[in-house]
Amino acid sequence: MPPLALVISQIFHGLILGGMLALVGSGLTIILGTLGLVNFAHGAFFAIGAYAGWLVFEWTGSYFAALALGALATCAIGFVVERGLISRFYQRPHEDQILLTFGLGIVIVEGLRAWFGGIGKTMPSPEWAAGAISLGPIIYPTYRLVVLGIAVLSLLAFYLMLYHSRLGLIVRAAIEDTLMVRILGLRASRIRAMVFALGVLAVGIAGVAMAPIVSINPDVGARFMVQSFVVVVIGGLGSFPGAILGGLIAGQIQTLTAIFEAAYSDVALFMTMVAILALRPRGLLGEEGRK
């Protein structure tokens, strides 16, 4: 039986990983549910966020500036990419859209590699979040708790935007009844660009927040992208609450499995996804008939 301190520590790890996966998955859900676009470049935007945050921190020395400007820079890049490239593919077959975003992700990753090199960068955690604090039987890094706070506040902000604003009303309407929104003419180019940029903003925040924890390299977002797709499938396609629930479940599965055998953490996650789909094909919070 694993020591109690180890189990508690891994539960906290799972909450933090789950929060970040929920944030990344929520961005993927917003784009997929509203635009019907499977964004295989999502992980590349995570890397853009991490590099943007690192650059701002190098220039300013301010963590808050890095978090805000890094996320906004990622959002702006997403807006430009949508307007200049992705907007031309909405009427194309889904196969073309998949190839486009997959290829876009490769181009972004290799562009980052050419610009910054393949050696990982490091972004220190802010001084005010250095060290560790006592949480009962464990000593836990302070910055990881800050990351959990960022995930919670960001998800709350996205929730308020989606459920208590005009843009959120349009986004949720598109998720619930895409055909009706098209008939009403609400899928204008400006709305599509804003929705895509919003989804990219979520993954940009996650990229900057995780920068002091992971090694910043061009491939840093690949693992998060794969896991975020699992999160969306577990929670239910197009369901924002489902993305949050799926992220928390995925985080706990990954970290608790690692107590016994770290090599099987991904296996356990995918087996859980298969089991959920076998029992509930639309996901935990997905609705019947959603496409």
Side-chain angles (χ1 to χ4, degrees), residues 22-205:
L23 191 55
V24 175
S26 67
L28 194 62
T29 289
I30 290 171
I31 294 172
L32 176 61
T34 310
L35 304 179
L37 178 75
V38 182
N39 183 22
F40 279 97
H42 213 57
F45 283 109
F46 182 97
I48 289 176
Y51 273 108
W54 171 76
L55 280 175
V56 175
F57 189 85
E58 289 289 304
W59 294 336
T60 66
S62 169
Y63 176 80
F64 291 109
L67 182 61
L69 297 180
L72 289 176
T74 309
C75 177
I77 292 172
F79 185 90
V80 171
V81 167
E82 195 281 339
R83 287 290 77 212
L85 184 62
I86 292 178
S87 61
R88 305 172 187 273
F89 280 76
Y90 289 125
Q91 305 304 320
R92 301 282 291 272
H94 290 300
E95 294 84 354
D96 292 357
Q97 297 175 0
I98 291 173
L99 288 173
L100 168 69
T101 57
F102 186 79
L104 176 63
I106 293 175
V107 170
I108 291 175
V109 167
E110 295 307 318
L112 291 173
R113 199 185 315 277
W115 187 267
F116 295 102
I119 300 177
K121 311 293 183 182
T122 57
M123 176 176 162
S125 58
E127 293 183 1
W128 48 267
I133 61 175
S134 177
L135 296 173
I138 66 171
I139 304 296
Y140 203 76
T142 305
Y143 181 72
R144 289 182 177 267
L145 297 177
V146 172
V147 171
L148 179 59
I150 291 172
V152 171
L153 291 176
S154 298
L155 290 169
L156 178 61
F158 279 109
Y159 172 82
L160 293 175
M161 187 282 302
L162 286 173
Y163 292 90
H164 297 280
S165 72
R166 183 175 181 275
L167 176 60
L169 179 63
I170 295 173
V171 171
R172 287 189 294 114
I175 291 175
E176 298 297 333
D177 195 337
T178 304
L179 178 59
M180 182 57 66
V181 171
R182 287 177 178 174
I183 293 173
L184 294 175
L186 293 177
R187 280 181 61 117
S189 59
R190 181 170 58 88
I191 297 298
R192 288 198 297 263
M194 291 175 64
V195 167
F196 188 85
L198 188 66
V200 170
L201 175 63
V203 76
I205 294 172

